[in-house]
Amino acid sequence: MPRVLVVDDHAENLYVLHALLTGHGWDVDEAQNGADALAKAQQFPPQLVISDLLMPVMDGYSLIRKWKADDRLKHIPFVVYTATYTDPQDEKLAMDMGADAFIVKPAEPEAFMHRINEVIHSDGTMLHAAVRQPVSDEKVQFKQYNEALVRKLEQKSVQLEQANIALARDIEQRKILEAEREKLRAQLSQAQKMESIGRLAGSIAHDFNNLISVILGYADAALTAVQETDPVHADLVEIRKAAQRSSAITHQLLMFARMRPGARQPINLNDVIDDMTAMLRQLIGRNIELAWSPGRDIGAVLMDPAHVTQILTNLCTNGRDAIMRDAAHATGKITIATNKMETVDVLRTWYGDMTPGKYICLSVSDTGCGMNQDTLSHLFEPFFTTKSIGKGTGLGLATIYGIIRQNSGFVNVSSEPGKGTKFELYFPLHENNRQ
Ligand SMILES: Nc1ncnc2c1ncn2[C@@H]1O[C@H](COP(=O)(O)OP(=O)(O)OP(=O)(O)O)[C@@H](O)[C@H]1O
Ligand SMILES: [Mg+2]
């Protein structure tokens, strides 16, 4: 049986060739690289060698060169079977060095055997009179070989660069997704926190409200029982005042907890705000300019007008406080604007994602001190305040928040320390009552 030496550094390639060639009547010998093949062939020359090109220790090109320089081996046909070196120049170099055939991996078994049979029959008889020999001198071969290696190296570095770019893109993409997920997680936990604070505040406020009614009832009854000249009378008046203040606070808390729905009706925000500007100017004082920019044809929203008053009073008070935080005579500007948003796709707001639809945006911005991240993250919580004791209750924004949610609205806040603040409140357009 004729013997073939198969040279490849990949075990699976050796396995496939072994099975194929054995099936076609060849006795198969194997080698893992050029050096291994040369040693085996010199000891026990085969009738045919089939070799890979890219291999460790000694590659296929070096093996052809040494093969063709060896008097005992140079008449044995040399077939190149390669997956890496596949350019026409690679083939030319192999053929110039004396290879008898150049086959690109992977070849169909039938086509592969056909090419082998063009070189040598499986009974060992040669097809051609003589085996091919090197056509150029060693110096030229070395130069070409060197060029082939450089080419391969360049291709590899281009591939590596592309892989790197793809990898960088992947990493970037993953970072964006992670940030997005982190944001959604924060929004969800914020929403859950607000819901549970709301429930708690609601139940506490409810109980307090009942108790305060009792205190007020007794205070009123006691007041009718004592003379105004009685020193107890003044104390009772103070008790009643404190109870009334407490009652106001619990009403705000109930509002936050959405337990006191307002009287909703279709209203045009521009009309309501028009009526309020004089009062708001009074509220913020002469040093602060109030700009009012009503949007055109904004349509109607379904709201209690008293809620609009409450929202604007609270936001303008906050804006005024922010402008005057560091100096009592500081000047600045508060801008109120309305805007109809024909289509809002999905808008990421401070509180969850806004559902698509038509909205009216009411915005209030100020040129005040702005807020840091920490303040922003607690902004709407009841009793959260950065103002000194007696100056703020921390219920202003909690109340606004309750109103917004009660009216199926959303709120977005943008603020940076030293760069002012902008509140954007979105309320769904009341489609049936365009005005
Ligand atoms: N426009 C703004 N600029 C800067 N900080 C603001 C602004 N609005 C609110 N804040 C911050 O948010 C906190 C909470 O505001 P919120 O209106 O709920 O309570 P408050 O104003 O402190 O008290 P009050 O119950 O009297 O309104 C404020 O103490 C302040 O730190
Ligand atoms: Mg406030």
Side-chain angles (χ1 to χ4, degrees):
M1 238 198 284
R3 221 159 33 75
V4 55
L5 176 61
V6 180
V7 196
D8 203 306
D9 56 330
H10 286 289
E12 52 277 33
N13 291 345
L14 287 175
Y15 179 82
V16 171
L17 285 184
H18 190 112
L20 181 65
L21 290 160
T22 314
H24 282 81
W26 285 89
D27 194 5
V28 181
D29 225 354
E30 293 173 3
Q32 255 87 48
N33 59 61
D36 187 18
L38 208 58
K40 281 187 173 150
Q42 276 164 349
Q43 210 180 18
F44 199 20
Q47 267 79 48
L48 171 70
V49 59
I50 301 174
S51 176
D52 187 16
L53 283 180
L54 189 75
M55 291 180 293
V57 188
M58 182 196 288
D59 74 355
Y61 283 117
S62 304
L63 178 62
I64 309 177
R65 196 165 45 76
K66 292 210 156 90
W67 194 272
K68 294 297 170 183
D70 189 312
D71 284 338
R72 280 175 308 159
L73 303 178
K74 66 186 197 196
H75 298 295
I76 301 169
F78 196 110
V79 173
V80 169
Y81 189 37
T82 172
T84 327
Y85 289 94
T86 52
D87 295 347
Q89 294 119 297
D90 299 332
E91 177 170 2
K92 184 177 183 306
L93 174 61
M95 297 308 278
D96 283 356
M97 288 174 111
D100 294 90
F102 188 91
I103 310 176
V104 172
K105 258 185 218 166
E108 287 297 318
E110 227 169 281
F112 181 80
M113 286 318 299
H114 181 76
R115 293 294 307 278
I116 296 294
N117 286 332
E118 281 176 354
V119 177
I120 186 169
H121 285 308
S122 49
D123 60 4
T125 54
M126 298 290 299
L127 209 64
H128 300 291
V131 168
R132 298 185 69 252
Q133 298 304 324
V135 295
S136 51
D137 68 26
E138 273 224 318
K139 233 168 151 184
V140 176
Q141 280 178 21
F142 264 129
K143 190 170 166 284
Q144 287 172 340
Y145 175 52
N146 191 31
E147 282 165 5
L149 287 179
V150 169
R151 238 181 359 255
K152 216 32 46 187
L153 208 63
E154 277 168 355
Q155 280 171 9
K156 288 275 171 213
S157 47
V158 167
Q159 283 169 3
L160 206 64
E161 208 170 302
Q162 281 166 349
N164 255 344
I165 291 170
L167 197 68
R169 221 180 292 133
D170 271 6
I171 292 172
E172 200 50 42
Q173 196 65 26
R174 197 169 317 160
K175 270 192 200 152
I176 292 171
L177 287 177
E178 262 163 26
E180 191 80 351
R181 194 163 46 207
E182 184 50 35
K183 200 175 144 202
L184 287 175
R185 203 194 53 71
Q187 277 181 350
L188 182 69
S189 77
Q190 190 77 7
Q192 287 167 340
K193 192 163 74 181
M194 294 301 279
E195 287 297 330
S196 60
I197 292 176
R199 268 198 303 279
L200 185 70
S203 63
I204 294 173
H206 203 77
D207 289 350
F208 265 108
N209 208 31
N210 292 340
L211 290 175
I212 289 161
S213 317
V214 176
I215 296 172
L216 272 174
Y218 277 113
D220 281 339
L223 272 169
T224 53
V226 293
Q227 296 289 326
E228 273 188 41
T229 47
D230 195 317
V232 177
H233 189 274
D235 293 347
L236 284 171
V237 169
E238 287 308 315
I239 290 175
R240 189 172 58 180
K241 262 200 238 159
Q244 279 163 342
R245 270 204 300 275
S246 305
S247 173
I249 290 176
T250 50
H251 278 135
Q252 280 201 309
L253 264 181
L254 285 172
M255 175 86 72
F256 166 72
R258 280 182 265 164
M259 292 176 83
R260 275 169 48 93
R264 303 217 288 173
Q265 62 193 79
I267 52 166
N268 183 309
L269 279 182
N270 287 351
D271 295 345
V272 179
I273 299 169
D274 273 341
D275 289 343
M276 283 182 69
T277 46
M279 184 273 282
L280 292 173
R281 284 212 170 86
Q282 193 71 32
L283 180 78
I284 60 177
R286 265 184 303 160
N287 285 342
I288 299 170
E289 183 193 339
L290 181 76
W292 161 222
S293 132
R296 289 182 54 196
D297 303 325
I298 60 162
V301 288
L302 203 58
M303 273 180 91
D304 180 347
H307 284 174
V308 182
T309 311
Q310 206 157 4
I311 287 173
L312 285 176
T313 328
N314 280 337
L315 288 180
C316 288
T317 311
N318 283 351
R320 177 202 64 195
D321 292 350
I323 291 168
M324 306 205 313
R325 190 189 64 171
D326 300 320
H329 299 292
T331 55
K333 184 175 174 182
I334 295 177
T335 307
I336 302 174
T338 52
N339 234 316
K340 182 167 159 189
M341 322 211 26
E342 277 298 344
T343 49
V344 170
D345 271 341
V346 176
L347 190 78
R348 299 274 145 89
T349 67
W350 183 87
Y351 177 92
D353 290 348
M354 207 159 133
T355 40
K358 294 182 179 176
Y359 285 86
I360 292 173
C361 175
L362 164 63
S363 70
V364 177
S365 41
D366 65 66
T367 55
C369 58
M371 284 175 265
N372 59 24
Q373 247 351 87
D374 190 45
T375 301
L376 272 171
S377 63
H378 295 292
L379 205 54
F380 294 96
E381 290 172 14
F383 303 115
F384 172 78
T385 179
T386 58
K387 293 168 190 171
S388 51
I389 296 171
K391 282 253 171 91
T393 61
L395 281 174
L397 287 176
T399 307
I400 290 180
Y401 184 82
I403 294 173
I404 292 167
R405 299 303 289 159
Q406 199 174 309
N407 288 288
S408 317
F410 292 88
V411 58
N412 201 30
V413 188
S414 21
S415 183
E416 261 181 68
K419 294 203 173 149
T421 299
K422 183 176 193 178
F423 283 86
E424 287 164 308
L425 280 55
Y426 298 89
F427 297 103
L429 184 74
H430 184 54
E431 298 260 28
N432 302 334
N433 273 276
R434 282 165 183 271
Q435 291 191 359

